Amino acid sequence: MDLLCLALVLATAAISYWYCKRLHSYWDNQHVPSIANPNVIFGHMLPAIAVKENIAEFVGRAYKSFDSSMVGFYFLRRPGILVRDPEIVKRVLQTDFPSFHANLVTLSERNDPVLVNNPFFVSDHELWKKRRTRISNNLTGKKLKCLFAINQEVCNGLSAFVERKIRENGQFYECELKNHFTRCTGEVVANAALAIDGQSFRDQPDRLAFTVIAKSLFEPTFVNGIKQALLFFLPGLANLLGLAFLEKKTDDYMRQTIKAIIKQRQQAGEAPNDYLQFSAEANSLDIDGIVGDVVNFYADVYETSSSAMANLFYNLSQNPEIQSKLRDHLASVLRETDGQVTPESLKSMTYLDQVISESMRVIPAAGTLIKCCTKEITLTGADGVSCHLVPGNPVFIPIIGLHRDEKYWPNPEVFDPDRFSPENQIHINKYAYLPFGEGPRMCVGMRFALMLIKQTTATLITKFAVEHSPKTKVPLEIDPSSFLIAFKAGLWARFKNI
């Protein structure tokens, strides 16, 4: 009996091994160059699942290791393709969008009833269009002008916070930039979407302050890294374990706060121009719809915009001559508005646009776009490499690889905003520069994000010099516990009065 059981176990193991190996011959059979030595169960994703490697590192290494237009790999047992050619990127994001209209990451409606409706996670095409349209309607040009005033109040608060810290600490205020700028984005969300003081500029916020609640969702910890890895790579197991991107306590906090504010506004007959009011009017006071809009605004603004600002100020701290040129440019623009940052003055800050664009090239917030094939298709590169994809195949678009490829960016390691000057910008291949994605699924909040980044930078750089801090550990090491690009030891800088 024992021998029979042993034989069955060995036979099962042998069949499973044969099956996995057979799956891992997919790219060989199509004559597509592919990454070697996939794990029989996890393919090439084991380091990311075990939170030992950020997905951006995997993508960057794969991009550098091959010259072909496409590179095959295995996403667990599914064949995946990494596309290196901007023309194929264009097909995936724009030309053949119906075959790639979904992102790979999906959420459980049971565990994530709010975020499941975020356009980023919605795979059904018609539902995606409805959700995206609703967010677009909350961020029209007229409404952005209303949000501009809220943003500027927050920027002024951040500036006052830095001034106070310099005064308290002596010559300078030294900080980890990502944490510093979440004060800004967290307070914007609290003010614009919840109409409350988020307490982001207090040294000791209350235990239930928004700034404390907000940090718990995105903080790059090992536990959060494991949770995000399971949600991304093993959604079935994550669903079984009841894991969610948005914890119930955060959902409850948002729901209770929004209900209380709406009730207060109804009683007072007030209708201020903020994101919460825009959503309330669009949803006819349906609380679930409003909560969904506000949480989506929070998820989209809080993390990515703070990352972009941290990267920008780090790059400025490493390039003082560019910082000085930017300060002079901003001063000349703001002389026309008596030193006040206005919607009109932002339009004239052309060199600031260049600096932001170059910062997003050097350190993009996300290392890769991850799409999912939704309709059978064949892609062929200029080098003759051809791959056949079926629904369910992951498609990786390597932002970090394209942004640092000398084929598209001479001396890519050099921080040079002049790459984006009007005379040079016309030569940029827009499918080799993807800080906000491209095509129909391009980031819906791009205009708001850029407005906030420009307001914050113009407010701070005209008042403070940002200098290198020895606390920054170089070379920079990407944190594997973060889904976006974050760094293990952080990005540090010192703010000084000019």
Side-chain angles (χ1 to χ4, degrees):
M1 190 66 178
D2 290 342
L3 287 174
L4 179 59
C5 289
L6 179 60
L8 287 173
V9 169
L10 291 174
T12 302
I15 292 170
S16 299
Y17 181 82
W18 171 83
Y19 178 67
C20 289
K21 290 294 285 183
R22 182 171 173 270
L23 284 175
H24 291 160
S25 64
Y26 187 88
W27 295 122
D28 289 339
N29 293 338
Q30 291 203 40
H31 307 292
V32 173
S34 62
I35 302 172
N37 303 319
N39 180 282
V40 292
I41 297 174
F42 298 106
H44 294 103
M45 297 294 108
L46 183 57
I49 295 172
V51 197
K52 292 183 177 180
E53 180 181 64
N54 186 289
I55 198 72
E57 293 177 286
F58 165 75
V59 165
R61 190 173 63 253
Y63 187 94
K64 288 182 178 179
S65 300
F66 291 83
D67 291 324
S68 55
S69 59
M70 290 172 278
V71 178
F73 68 95
Y74 293 93
F75 188 92
L76 304 181
R77 291 181 299 161
R78 278 189 282 176
I81 196 78
L82 182 145
V83 295
R84 298 181 71 261
D85 183 345
E87 286 304 308
I88 302 179
V89 173
K90 180 179 179 180
R91 287 192 62 183
V92 172
L93 297 181
Q94 182 79 55
T95 314
D96 294 308
F97 176 74
S99 292
F100 304 98
H101 68 73
N103 291 328
L104 186 65
V105 186
T106 58
L107 298 179
S108 157
E109 190 164 358
R110 176 172 66 88
N111 297 330
D112 261 308
V114 176
L115 274 182
V116 75
N117 290 314
N118 186 304
F120 181 84
F121 297 111
V122 174
S123 56
D124 180 82
H125 186 58
E126 293 304 315
L127 181 60
W128 164 75
K129 284 199 294 187
K130 290 179 182 178
R131 301 298 183 195
R132 183 180 174 88
T133 299
R134 191 162 76 184
I135 294 177
S136 297
N137 290 340
N138 288 340
L139 296 172
T140 61
K142 183 178 179 181
K143 291 174 180 176
L144 283 176
K145 285 189 176 180
C146 298
L147 295 175
F148 178 95
I150 296 172
N151 288 356
Q152 196 56 47
E153 286 279 335
V154 172
C155 291
N156 294 339
L158 181 63
S159 177
F161 172 82
V162 173
E163 268 188 284
R164 175 170 66 83
K165 285 297 185 182
I166 293 173
R167 194 165 55 247
E168 291 173 355
N169 297 332
Q171 293 183 327
F172 55 81
Y173 166 52
E174 189 170 45
C175 62
E176 198 288 308
L177 291 168
K178 179 64 167 57
N179 289 334
H180 177 68
F181 285 108
T182 56
R183 294 180 185 274
C184 177
T185 56
E187 199 61 26
V188 164
V189 173
N191 284 215
L194 294 173
I196 60 173
D197 174 12
Q199 302 185 26
S200 303
F201 305 133
R202 295 189 193 180
D203 292 332
Q204 298 295 330
D206 297 338
R207 184 173 60 87
L208 294 177
F210 179 76
T211 186
V212 177
I213 299 293
K215 281 185 178 179
S216 66
L217 178 61
F218 294 108
E219 197 167 9
T221 64
F222 182 75
V223 172
N224 275 348
I226 288 289
K227 183 178 77 171
Q228 291 174 10
L230 289 174
L231 285 163
F232 179 58
F233 295 106
L234 301 167
L237 177 58
N239 187 25
L240 189 66
L241 295 174
L243 298 180
F245 265 111
L246 189 70
E247 294 183 8
K248 190 176 186 305
K249 66 177 182 180
T250 310
D251 181 286
D252 290 343
Y253 175 91
M254 294 284 198
R255 201 171 290 273
Q256 292 166 12
T257 303
I258 290 168
K259 282 183 178 179
I261 294 167
I262 289 175
K263 184 178 179 180
Q264 180 185 16
R265 290 184 177 186
Q266 287 175 321
Q267 291 173 345
E270 294 178 341
N273 288 319
D274 59 16
Y275 194 87
L276 177 58
Q277 192 62 33
F278 302 154
S279 180
E281 292 169 359
N283 288 286
S284 302
L285 298 179
D286 168 53
I287 193 65
D288 288 331
I290 298 169
V291 170
D293 282 356
V294 168
V295 169
N296 290 335
F297 183 76
Y298 157 50
D300 293 342
V301 171
Y302 181 84
E303 186 71 2
T304 53
S305 295
S306 60
S307 292
M309 287 191 276
N311 299 338
L312 170 60
F313 275 72
Y314 170 74
N315 283 317
L316 288 174
S317 75
Q318 303 301 303
N319 296 275
E321 70 292 342
I322 291 173
Q323 182 183 159
S324 180
K325 181 178 178 179
L326 174 62
R327 186 175 294 110
D328 291 343
H329 168 71
L330 293 174
S332 68
V333 171
L334 293 177
R335 272 196 291 270
E336 302 297 320
T337 56
D338 296 322
Q340 300 301 308
V341 179
T342 66
E344 291 70 30
S345 67
L346 285 191
K347 296 175 185 176
S348 300
M349 296 176 183
T350 52
Y351 189 65
L352 176 55
D353 289 329
Q354 292 176 216
V355 171
I356 292 171
S357 296
E358 176 67 349
S359 181
M360 290 181 170
R361 180 195 70 81
V362 173
I363 311 177
T368 181
L369 293 175
I370 302 176
K371 311 298 292 181
C372 183
C373 179
T374 52
K375 183 181 177 183
E376 195 168 352
I377 191 171
T378 297
L379 298 175
T380 303
D383 56 0
V385 174
S386 183
C387 77
H388 186 73
L389 300 175
V390 297
N393 285 142
V395 180
F396 281 22
I397 297 173
I399 297 175
I400 195 167
L402 291 165
H403 282 201
R404 299 177 181 180
D405 192 332
E406 62 183 9
K407 187 187 301 181
Y408 313 112
W409 311 97
N411 301 314
E413 70 286 349
V414 175
F415 187 82
D416 180 11
D418 287 338
R419 298 179 199 275
F420 293 89
S421 65
E423 58 270 24
N424 291 331
Q425 199 167 26
I426 58 173
H427 302 298
I428 292 173
N429 185 328
K430 72 175 185 176
Y431 292 97
Y433 180 67
L434 302 163
F436 294 100
E438 193 52 72
R441 271 196 180 252
M442 191 174 188
C443 176
V444 68
M446 179 183 71
R447 289 173 65 200
F448 178 84
L450 288 174
M451 181 176 75
L452 175 58
I453 294 167
K454 290 182 72 171
Q455 285 180 266
T456 307
T457 307
T459 302
L460 295 184
I461 289 296
T462 51
K463 295 180 180 178
F464 308 104
V466 56
E467 298 181 354
H468 167 77
S469 165
K471 287 188 177 181
T472 298
K473 304 299 182 186
V474 290
L476 300 175
E477 291 185 61
I478 297 178
D479 190 339
S481 64
S482 174
F483 192 70
L484 298 175
I485 293 182
F487 299 98
K488 284 183 180 179
L491 298 175
W492 291 77
R494 292 173 173 177
F495 286 87
K496 289 186 177 180
N497 287 316
I498 296 174

